[in-house]
């Protein structure tokens, strides 16, 4: 049975937190996988670190462990490179993998700004390889069901407003200057780390999250800055039809369970759980009835995006319909505008990002 599933051989770049979550989900035994995932290689800044990572998270499941990223790109048996470095390195890591002819799944935020993302997609286009931003939340069955209810079945009528927050108590002052959450050269700040999820829900709730451009939105934003790094961001996206999405992030406390509310002419939806990994949602209709939608989620839920990538690649596609290149660029253009108004800058930004 599993022989008939598309198979992807992954090369993992970096051995930090997100890579550990991703690889554990790749090898998770599941009831109904849509693809087969093999961890072909792991690359780290240090061979010892790489070995510890494999031993701890995927023991016996990867025999090619390298003390560099280059050796992963050079491994002829790697089909796709997963990039789990801090945002500031995504552009270089993506370009290196693409130049080696590899497909790429790169963590969010895809790059530091829209200009960098366009460069990566140009390179992917020239090489004919698949590239996608790993915005895993969009691939959850919960998210797909919600979008169908909101935008196809019009379960709450015309949508008027979306509120979404992602806040974590990150205790930034306790971190060292080289932390990716504190160092502007590593893309620090709540906006690219967690605010990107609030923005994602703002877009998904308002317009289904594809096919629109940043220029059709009026964006108003403010940021709280600590040494140039944003510790809180609030932004309003105003649509031409008057719809508003209010998206916020903070490093100072944890978002309450209902992290997103979507309001329409015939009711509202509350989404609960973790902003990046929702657990359930409830549709409250204006007639007083309500319905809760719950979904099974073994592990963390990274396999849904991984399966989708495998199916796309097997179908010969170079981009995803769920997270297409234009949507990654739209998200980054909005993030650029928020930072322009809010004041947070990265040393890698050129004038106007
Ligand atoms: N999808 C999600 O839910 C989610 C959650 C958390 C983070 N992320 C994203 O994943 C990326 C990494 O975040 P993380 O939390 O995994 O970070 P992390 O724990 O700090 O790990 C980052 C890894 O990148 C490598 N690296 C290369 N150069 C580095 C440098 N100068 N400083 C620090 N690390 C460097 C290191 O691995 P080696 O030493 O092995 O090379 C390091 O362990 C970010 O873009 C973040 O936004 C996504």
């Amino acid at each position: 049975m599993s022989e008939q599933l598309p198979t992807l051989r992954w090369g993992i770049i970096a051995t930090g937190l997100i890579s550990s979550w991703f690889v554990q989900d790749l090898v998770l035994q599941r009831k109904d996988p849509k693809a087969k995932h093999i961890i072909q290689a792991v690359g780290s800044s240090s061979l010892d670190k790489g070995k510890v990572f494999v031993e701890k998270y995927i023991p016996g499941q990867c025999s090619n462990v390298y003390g560099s990223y280059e050796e992963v790109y050079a491994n002829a048996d790697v089909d796709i490179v997963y990039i789990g470095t801090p945002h500031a390195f995504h552009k270089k890591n993506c370009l290196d993998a693409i130049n080696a002819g590899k497909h790429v799944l790169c963590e969010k935020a895809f790059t530091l700004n829209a200009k960098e993302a366009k460069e990566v997609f140009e390179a992917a286009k020239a090489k004919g390889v698949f590239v996608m931003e790993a915005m895993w939340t969009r691939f959850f069955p919960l998210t797909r069901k919600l979008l169908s209810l909101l935008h196809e079945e019009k379960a709450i009528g015309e949508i008027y407003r979306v509120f979404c927050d992602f806040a974590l108590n990150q205790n930034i002052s306790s971190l060292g200057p080289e932390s990716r959450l504190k160092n502007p050269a590593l893309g620090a700040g709540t906006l690219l780390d967690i605010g990107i999820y609030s923005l994602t829900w703002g877009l998904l709730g308002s317009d289904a999250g594809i096919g629109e451009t940043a220029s059709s939105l009026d964006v108003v934003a403010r940021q709280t800055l600590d040494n140039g790094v944003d510790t809180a961001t609030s932004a309003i996206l105003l649509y031409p039809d008057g719809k508003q999405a209010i998206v916020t992030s903070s490093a100072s406390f944890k978002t309450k369970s209902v992290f997103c509310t979507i309001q329409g002419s015939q009711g509202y939806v509350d989404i609960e759980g973790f902003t990046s990994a929702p657990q359930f949602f409830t549709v409250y209709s204006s007639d007083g009835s309500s319905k809760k939608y719950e979904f099974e989620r073994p592990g963390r839920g990274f396999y849904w995006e991984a399966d989708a990538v495998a199916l796309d690649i097997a179908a010969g596609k170079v981009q995803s319909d769920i997270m297409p290149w234009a949507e990654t660029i739209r998200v980054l253009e909005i993030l650029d505008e928020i930072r322009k108004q809010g004041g947070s800058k990265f040393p890698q930004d050129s004038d106007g990002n």
Side-chain angles (χ1 to χ4, degrees):
M1 169 71 184
S2 68
E3 272 65 40
Q4 291 155 14
L5 298 176
T7 299
L8 267 191
R9 297 169 302 173
W10 294 83
I12 307 295
I13 294 298
T15 60
L17 177 74
I18 189 62
S19 295
S20 73
W21 289 357
F22 185 73
V23 294
Q24 288 174 86
D25 262 12
L26 277 189
V27 301
L28 194 71
Q29 292 295 320
R30 291 179 277 145
K31 268 195 298 199
D32 185 25
K34 301 284 180 277
K36 188 174 170 199
H37 302 287
I38 293 167
I39 302 176
Q40 191 69 31
V42 168
S44 171
S45 58
S46 124
L47 183 57
D48 284 347
K49 207 176 154 190
K51 284 181 176 165
V52 169
F53 175 87
V54 168
E55 192 49 42
K56 187 166 174 191
Y57 299 112
I58 41 170
Q61 306 222 40
C62 175
S63 46
N64 302 300
V65 186
Y66 304 123
S68 77
Y69 301 161
E70 287 69 26
E71 288 164 279
V72 174
Y73 308 139
N75 185 318
D77 294 326
V78 167
D79 302 316
I80 180 164
V81 170
Y82 168 81
I83 295 168
T85 54
H87 336 307
F89 305 111
H90 290 178
K91 181 181 115 174
K92 177 179 170 25
N93 301 150
C94 283
L95 290 176
D96 287 349
I98 291 167
N99 286 334
K102 304 300 185 191
H103 303 299
V104 172
L105 176 65
C106 178
E107 264 309 323
K108 47 57 62 179
F110 185 68
T111 48
L112 288 177
N113 53 45
K115 187 166 170 277
E116 290 191 347
K118 287 175 188 168
E119 227 179 291
V120 172
F121 293 137
E122 279 303 313
K125 199 171 160 190
K127 273 280 184 185
V129 293
F130 179 94
V131 174
M132 192 183 94
E133 177 181 6
M135 184 38 85
W136 62 314
T137 315
R138 292 187 184 233
F139 294 83
F140 278 48
L142 177 152
T143 308
R144 307 317 304 162
K145 177 67 184 174
L146 176 63
L147 294 188
S148 152
L149 283 172
L150 289 176
H151 301 293
E152 288 162 33
E153 296 178 41
K154 307 278 182 202
I156 57 166
E158 186 189 347
I159 292 164
Y160 293 146
R161 288 199 301 185
V162 181
F163 292 92
C164 187
D165 183 51
F166 197 174
L168 292 172
N169 193 345
Q170 295 180 314
N171 203 1
I172 302 280
S173 58
S174 70
L175 302 173
E178 283 316 308
S179 163
R180 76 169 185 87
L181 300 178
K182 207 162 182 176
N183 183 354
L186 296 185
T190 68
L191 184 63
L192 270 65
D193 191 41
I194 52 180
I196 190 170
Y197 288 105
S198 305
L199 173 59
T200 293
W201 285 111
L203 298 173
L204 292 174
S206 302
D207 61 29
I210 44 165
E212 300 285 338
T213 59
S215 60
S216 67
L217 294 174
D218 186 5
V219 177
V220 179
R222 292 295 180 270
Q223 295 185 299
T224 304
L225 302 178
D226 182 353
N227 290 315
V229 171
D230 90 271
T231 53
T233 291
S234 299
I236 301 170
L237 317 181
L238 175 62
Y239 281 74
D241 65 359
K243 186 163 47 227
Q244 294 192 6
I246 298 100
V247 296
T248 55
S249 57
S250 166
S252 305
F253 53 90
K254 194 171 179 297
T255 308
K256 60 184 183 171
S257 178
V258 177
F259 65 82
C260 181
T261 297
I262 304 169
Q263 300 169 328
S265 56
Q266 289 165 38
Y268 66 97
V269 175
D270 277 351
I271 317 175
E272 296 193 46
F274 209 55
T275 312
S276 57
Q279 275 173 328
F280 60 88
F281 66 84
T282 309
V283 178
Y284 297 90
S285 301
S286 45
D287 64 8
S289 65
S290 66
K291 185 169 178 190
K292 184 174 174 182
Y293 293 79
E294 290 182 275
F295 299 79
E296 259 188 68
R297 175 159 57 97
R300 292 188 173 85
F302 289 93
Y303 39 77
W304 285 312
E305 66 174 356
D307 283 2
V309 168
L311 291 168
D312 280 345
I313 290 173
K317 295 167 74 167
V318 294
Q319 54 179 309
S320 157
D321 293 335
I322 293 179
M323 192 67 224
W325 298 352
E327 181 66 358
T328 288
I329 290 170
R330 172 167 77 143
V331 165
L332 281 163
E333 284 178 344
I334 297 170
L335 296 177
D336 287 352
E337 180 60 27
I338 292 172
R339 289 197 299 116
K340 205 159 135 193
Q341 294 184 30
S344 64
K345 284 189 169 48
F346 306 130
Q348 296 89 339
D349 288 330
S350 50
D351 282 346
N353 304 118

